[in-house]
Amino acid sequence: MGFDLDLTLADTRAGISAVFAALAAETGVPIDTDAVVGRLGPPLETELAYWFPAAEVPAMADRYRAMYPELAVPVTALMPGAAAALQAVRDRGARVVVVSGKNQADTERTVRFLGLPVDEVVGGLFGAAKGTALRLHGVGAYVGDHTGDVDAARAAAATAVGVATGAFDADALTAYGADVVLPDLLAFPEWLLGAAGADEPAPTG
């Protein structure tokens, strides 16, 4: 079973806000951190391009990543239901794979800080590009909060499970084509149990 990280398993809003606020203070560029956390999902460079000229984005991305471990990771929290969702997968004897748009190092740091019991961690991929990692690790279903996560599942021929805990509500995720839409991960164990009891086999990867 595959999971996205930001706003799926991990509430990274406070941490990301802190890093962008620090970046604004260093550069003198006003940054609306509420707008930033309202768009979480796409690559960091996409968000930085809202605030900095294109030529400055690579340097700002480097600076952001340098600050992230100290400022963001310590204030990251589990999303409601995350621990129980992973335990439900474990109880079925299935593997847990995290595939995130966050860079590899900070994805690993976040997973480690939160103590998430996962088998594989892959960072630095967004949207359909996640499909390569999902296929590589045999993921049969992918859980995420963003329409890009639906694209990821589609690219891997996996079940797309949307959770309405990010920028897209349940209606938007449904309209985009998610196979299953849950209000949050609190509803995940019941869905997984129901899928296991359905005529079609529940996703095992």
Side-chain angles (χ1 to χ4, degrees):
M1 181 75 66
F3 289 85
D4 175 48
L5 187 62
D6 290 28
L7 297 188
T8 299
L9 292 174
D11 188 344
T12 53
R13 289 171 291 195
I16 289 172
S17 291
V19 181
F20 269 95
L23 202 59
E26 280 192 3
T27 62
V29 174
I31 297 176
D32 183 345
T33 58
D34 288 336
V36 170
V37 298
R39 289 191 288 254
L40 292 185
L44 170 63
E45 289 80 2
T46 300
E47 181 60 41
L48 288 169
Y50 285 102
W51 312 105
F52 297 97
E56 296 179 17
V57 166
M60 292 301 101
D62 288 345
R63 183 61 185 135
Y64 175 99
R65 291 181 177 123
M67 293 189 288
Y68 195 95
E70 180 179 355
L71 296 181
V73 173
V75 295
T76 299
L78 285 172
M79 291 293 286
L86 297 188
Q87 188 59 51
V89 176
R90 289 292 193 186
D91 288 346
R92 296 191 65 249
R95 300 169 74 249
V96 175
V97 179
V98 170
V99 183
S100 174
K102 193 184 299 298
N103 69 86
Q104 183 71 30
D106 287 329
T107 299
E108 292 177 358
R109 288 187 183 101
T110 301
V111 166
R112 187 165 55 248
F113 175 77
L114 295 175
L116 299 176
V118 308
D119 298 286
E120 301 288 347
V121 176
V122 181
L125 298 174
F126 177 69
K130 290 183 176 182
T132 302
L134 297 177
R135 283 184 179 275
L136 176 64
H137 294 293
V139 170
Y142 184 62
V143 185
D145 65 283
H146 198 280
T147 53
D149 298 323
V150 178
D151 292 335
R154 289 280 174 269
T159 301
V161 182
V163 285
T165 49
F168 296 91
D169 63 16
D171 289 342
L173 292 168
T174 299
Y176 197 77
D179 298 303
V180 178
V181 177
L182 306 174
D184 49 41
L185 285 180
L186 293 168
F188 179 85
E190 183 177 357
W191 168 76
L192 188 62
L193 181 63
D199 291 338
E200 294 185 6
T204 57

